[in-house]
Amino acid sequence: MKIISNIDELRDQLSGQLRTAFVPTMGNLHEGHLSLMRLARKHGDPVVASIFVNRLQFGPNEDFDKYPRTFQADVEKLEKEGVYVLFAPTEKDLYPEPQEFRVRPPDDLGNTLEGEFRPGFFTGVTTIVLKLFSCVQPRVSVFGKKDYQQLMIIRNMSRQFALPTEIIAAETWRAEDGLALSSRNMYLNDAQRAEAPALFQLLNHVAGEVRAGHLDIMGLEQSAMAHLAGRGWQPDYISVRRRMDLQSPTAADLAAGAPLVVLAAAKLGTTRLIDNLEI
Ligand code: PAF
């Protein structure tokens, strides 16, 4: 595997490649990331991964400085997966001058759910993803459903800018007890790790209620939030949304059986976990 930090060198290395499959990451790779590499391999060749902890998508009180950086272990994992190039730029490589041009997602999609609790987050994500696409020029790129709203925003960005990159969705990789794998799980202590699967259990409960015809969605969301709070969590949201645009379903949507997804974000101690489940 070639490890490249410089944009010109990356372009030289990938010149003439028309079927590149790209997986952008912030490192601290776990089995969930590796499943993205395997899916990428099914959709293209060569597989290119990137590791870059993107300052632009962290708020002032978020964990940019303490975000886990495990570069050597990540390299070994990617080598085992047969990744052809790891693009691992420094901040100077990617932001040699202040990144003043930004890509701002539309308000209805970018300022709801995660966007409401993490102002500026999605602008940071779309800006770096567009820049990484410009460096790698992939034919396809794989994103996990774990970050459901991110996936949808990037898919819409790619479509609206007519980017030549098809966005592929990968299923969420879960531990045996249901907890969605995430780099942030490592912040959990033993008691919190034992409690953490309650989030996915609750999503299953809400999804089950909706499937069974429970139409008081707001009441369902409120009692789910109260349930989590009662177990010692600090929930930001548990929300049933339409899959097509992540807006709240209308009565007509519910009557017509529109495809839905339930999304949640909640803090356990100081660790913020997110998860979702398609209904
Ligand atoms: O999902 C992530 O790890 C990041 O948001 C991404 C897509 C690599 C952009 O920094």
Side-chain angles (χ1 to χ4, degrees):
M1 181 173 75
K2 294 225 154 39
I3 303 176
I4 298 178
S5 60
N6 177 276
I7 295 176
D8 292 331
E9 253 176 63
L10 178 78
R11 291 205 170 121
D12 281 352
Q13 185 68 37
L14 295 178
S15 77
Q17 298 286 2
L18 297 178
R19 294 184 57 242
T20 300
F22 175 49
V23 185
T25 81
M26 297 206 299
N28 192 236
L29 303 182
H30 49 65
E31 206 43 48
H33 293 110
L34 304 184
S35 74
L36 304 186
M37 307 296 158
R38 289 172 208 140
L39 187 60
R41 172 162 309 292
K42 288 192 185 152
H43 288 272
D45 184 40
V47 174
V48 173
S50 67
I51 295 181
F52 182 66
V53 184
N54 172 40
R55 188 186 289 275
L56 291 189
Q57 70 191 73
F58 286 78
N61 299 319
E62 294 186 351
D63 54 348
F64 176 76
D65 287 325
K66 81 171 191 107
Y67 195 83
R69 289 157 172 91
T70 52
F71 191 71
Q72 208 40 52
D74 293 346
V75 165
E76 283 162 27
K77 289 175 188 166
L78 293 176
E79 264 170 349
K80 280 200 191 119
E81 293 300 328
V83 167
Y84 175 64
V85 168
L86 167 60
F87 180 43
T90 62
E91 287 204 294
K92 263 212 163 115
D93 289 306
L94 270 197
Y95 300 132
E97 58 186 278
Q99 183 70 36
E100 288 161 345
F101 285 86
R102 307 272 172 118
V103 182
R104 192 168 64 80
D107 289 345
D108 55 352
L109 193 54
N111 291 349
T112 187
L113 301 166
E114 283 304 280
E116 185 184 336
F117 289 89
R118 303 183 69 187
F121 169 65
F122 286 120
T123 295
V125 170
T126 44
T127 301
I128 190 64
V129 169
L130 184 64
K131 193 154 185 174
L132 289 169
F133 282 1
S134 156
C135 299
V136 176
Q137 308 202 356
R139 176 49 214 104
V140 301
S141 186
V142 180
F143 292 82
K145 283 192 186 177
K146 156 96 177 9
D147 297 299
Y148 204 87
Q149 190 176 6
Q150 167 175 284
L151 165 67
M152 172 157 286
I153 286 175
I154 289 168
R155 188 170 262 162
N156 288 5
M157 173 180 82
S158 192
R159 194 184 61 242
Q160 286 202 0
F161 282 119
L163 302 181
T165 305
E166 182 189 345
I167 306 303
I168 311 278
E171 292 304 324
T172 300
W173 199 271
R174 297 184 182 280
E176 266 182 23
D177 57 11
L179 176 65
L181 294 200
S182 160
S183 300
R184 292 192 167 99
N185 293 351
M186 66 181 290
Y187 300 146
L188 300 170
N189 65 29
D190 288 351
Q192 291 166 340
R193 175 62 190 80
E195 169 61 18
L199 188 62
F200 184 54
Q201 286 158 14
L202 191 62
L203 290 176
N204 271 295
H205 168 76
V206 172
E209 289 292 305
V210 175
R211 262 189 228 111
H214 188 132
L215 295 184
D216 175 14
I217 298 293
M218 215 186 265
L220 200 54
E221 292 168 350
Q222 279 165 1
S223 70
M225 300 265 285
H227 174 82
L228 269 192
R231 297 179 67 109
W233 297 64
Q234 299 150 260
D236 282 344
Y237 60 82
I238 297 179
S239 194
V240 175
R241 299 291 175 104
R242 298 194 294 226
R243 276 193 227 172
M244 63 169 186
D245 57 5
L246 295 188
Q247 302 307 301
S248 298
T250 61
D253 292 323
L254 295 173
L260 302 173
V261 54
V262 52
L263 306 103
K267 265 191 179 166
L268 195 49
T270 54
T271 306
R272 189 169 180 279
L273 300 179
I274 64 169
D275 201 353
N276 65 78
L277 185 63
E278 288 176 335
I279 301 178

